[in-house]
Amino acid sequence: MNILIASSEVVPFAKTGGLADVCGALPIELERLGHRPFVFMPGFRSVYTAGQPVEPLGVEFNIPIGSKISKGSLAKSVLPGSEVEVFIVQQPEYFERAELYREAGEDYPDNCERFVFFCRAVMESIRFLDLQVDVLHGNDWQAGLLAAYLALEYRRIPGFEKIASLLTIHNLAYQGNFSHWDMALTGLDWKHFNWQQMEFYGRLNLLKTGLVFADALNTVSPSYATEIQSSDLGCGLEGVLRHRAKDLSGIINGVDYDIWNPESDSRIAKNYDVTSWKEGKSECKKSLQKAMNLPESDGPLVGLVGRLASQKGWHLIIEVMKTLVSRFDMQWTILGTGEPEYHRALKELAEAFPDKVGIELGFSDDLAHQIEAGSDIFLMPSQYEPCGLNQLYSLKYGTVPVVHATGGLADTIINLDQESQLQKTATGFSFYEYHADALLAALRRATDVYSHNPDLWQQIVTNGMQQDWSWSQSARAYISLYERLIDRKASASVDQCSDE
Ligand code: ADP
């Protein structure tokens, strides 16, 4: 199968979150399994400093954006350790900026225009490069228009008739919601600006557009696929999703163990595996404490890595830290960047308790690995979590996750309760009500076991380390989804022919 994967983020070229990890790893696994994936992404500034060679292809295109024409070109790279081609859509004015989507807390005002350009450029590239595509796999709102362009414009062009489209939702809360005037930029007929297609309460919504026009939809965990059909987590799109329920599924993300593995991770102080985790972790913990200017201490070290966005539960975390930090022998290491209010609150805590709280308010791949390896407990009290990757990394690094049982966190962490203790299957601690008291109770349960029941702690750690969340399983699930889609498309076109 030939699969075109379009994403605004791809590791190692550009990343703000899990979307990048997925779109950097899934194609490599698809290739390993005998398929031909190729990736399309925008030529952001970070693409050129990612350490992979980028070669111009000499392909230039003129893309209509409303009443003007924007010029762009294509370059090519490959995903490290593979032959997967990465096509880079270049347009320096749109893409070579300090950040990917926003600066100083404000979205770039021309985000709609930038991703209209990206999606049209992808469609045009299929023609220019004469790519044989079986599945057009878009990711998130930035690629939402692809399915609409395919269905409304390109389908009639020879070569495009049988392409099946899939849209993966990595986070429903980010929708690409723009002024209705931006509809003109898309070049699509205004008749599609209606509540059943591209309009969302008077605005243009690019994620909804993808949800309506793609042949199939998936998201990154089975629980999240169900949750987003409810008004609680549907972000206003629950109606569309319920309407498309039979075309919507959930596939848990995998982990790239070439990057996230304590046995081979070159960014951590000492490598370790399931037999040597105690010694390894103890070295990594000391080195992390040093890096974060914390004194050595035997109490549990709690790690957090993530966007400082309300989704990730920072309100609860800060409340719980305020309760625990002065009273208990535990330390915190936090890496993240995002909303200014959380930057402020975390800085205050770190200043007030320099021996207990170490923070780094920025983005650092190295430190993310060091926190995974050096912490004893990893906290993910997300209000909602489509899949979550850090809890999966934590399992591998023997860092026991404490999570809110939602979305992918509910699907991947086995809470320590009576039953799992009896069956010796627990991998972490979950809480069920999204409330600071519930988080506090879960964290206290975890620290109690850590301090007073080392055998049980050892069992939870090793259960997690022995699990396999590698991409091979998830990639196979994607392959069967692609195959079902292609079959459906083929039989639909046979039906169409026999109708004619
Ligand atoms: P989301 O996609 O919602 O941000 P995920 O858990 O799916 O959450 O993926 C987050 C990814 O981004 C992980 O690989 C995590 O390590 C990484 N990450 C998030 N914030 C930072 C940061 N400040 N520095 C380094 N890595 C980060």
Side-chain angles (χ1 to χ4, degrees), residues 110-126:
D110 58 350
N111 272 348
C112 185
E113 181 169 339
R114 300 167 79 213
F115 289 99
V116 165
F117 180 88
F118 173 63
C119 289
R120 278 219 178 261
V122 171
M123 298 307 290
E124 284 301 297
S125 303
I126 298 176

Side-chain angles (χ1 to χ4, degrees), residues 29-91:
E29 197 57 39
L30 293 173
E31 184 184 61
R32 263 185 218 151
L33 293 170
H35 298 281
R36 183 177 173 223
F38 26 89
V39 178
F40 274 80
M41 70 174 301
F44 293 121
R45 198 177 277 172
S46 57
V47 166
Y48 306 98
T49 53
Q52 289 293 99
V54 176
E55 319 234 325
L57 279 179
V59 173
E60 302 205 337
F61 32 61
N62 295 315
I63 300 290
I65 304 279
S67 55
K68 69 176 182 190
I69 299 285
S70 282
K71 285 185 183 308
S73 59
L74 267 189
K76 197 165 93 166
S77 188
V78 288
L79 288 178
S82 78
E83 288 178 16
V84 177
E85 293 162 303
V86 180
F87 293 102
I88 294 151
V89 173
Q90 297 180 308
Q91 215 292 3

Side-chain angles (χ1 to χ4, degrees), residues 151-211:
L152 301 174
E153 289 194 353
Y154 285 78
R155 182 67 81 206
R156 328 180 186 108
I157 300 171
F160 285 78
E161 307 94 329
K162 285 196 193 154
I163 300 179
S165 60
L166 170 69
L167 180 69
T168 301
I169 307 159
H170 295 260
N171 192 334
L172 192 69
Y174 299 90
Q175 300 184 359
N177 226 325
F178 299 103
S179 153
H180 66 283
W181 291 117
D182 283 353
M183 181 66 194
L185 302 176
T186 66
L188 294 171
D189 196 311
W190 275 94
K191 74 178 182 199
H192 301 296
F193 190 75
N194 66 70
W195 70 273
Q196 287 175 310
Q197 294 186 309
M198 301 173 75
E199 184 210 338
F200 184 68
Y201 297 102
R203 292 170 68 77
L204 170 67
N205 186 312
L206 297 187
L207 184 65
K208 177 174 174 179
T209 301
L211 299 182

Side-chain angles (χ1 to χ4, degrees), residues 386-404:
C387 176
L389 288 169
N390 278 308
Q391 84 279 14
L392 300 178
Y393 304 154
S394 301
L395 291 172
K396 191 69 179 169
Y397 283 75
T399 307
V400 175
V402 173
V403 304
H404 176 217

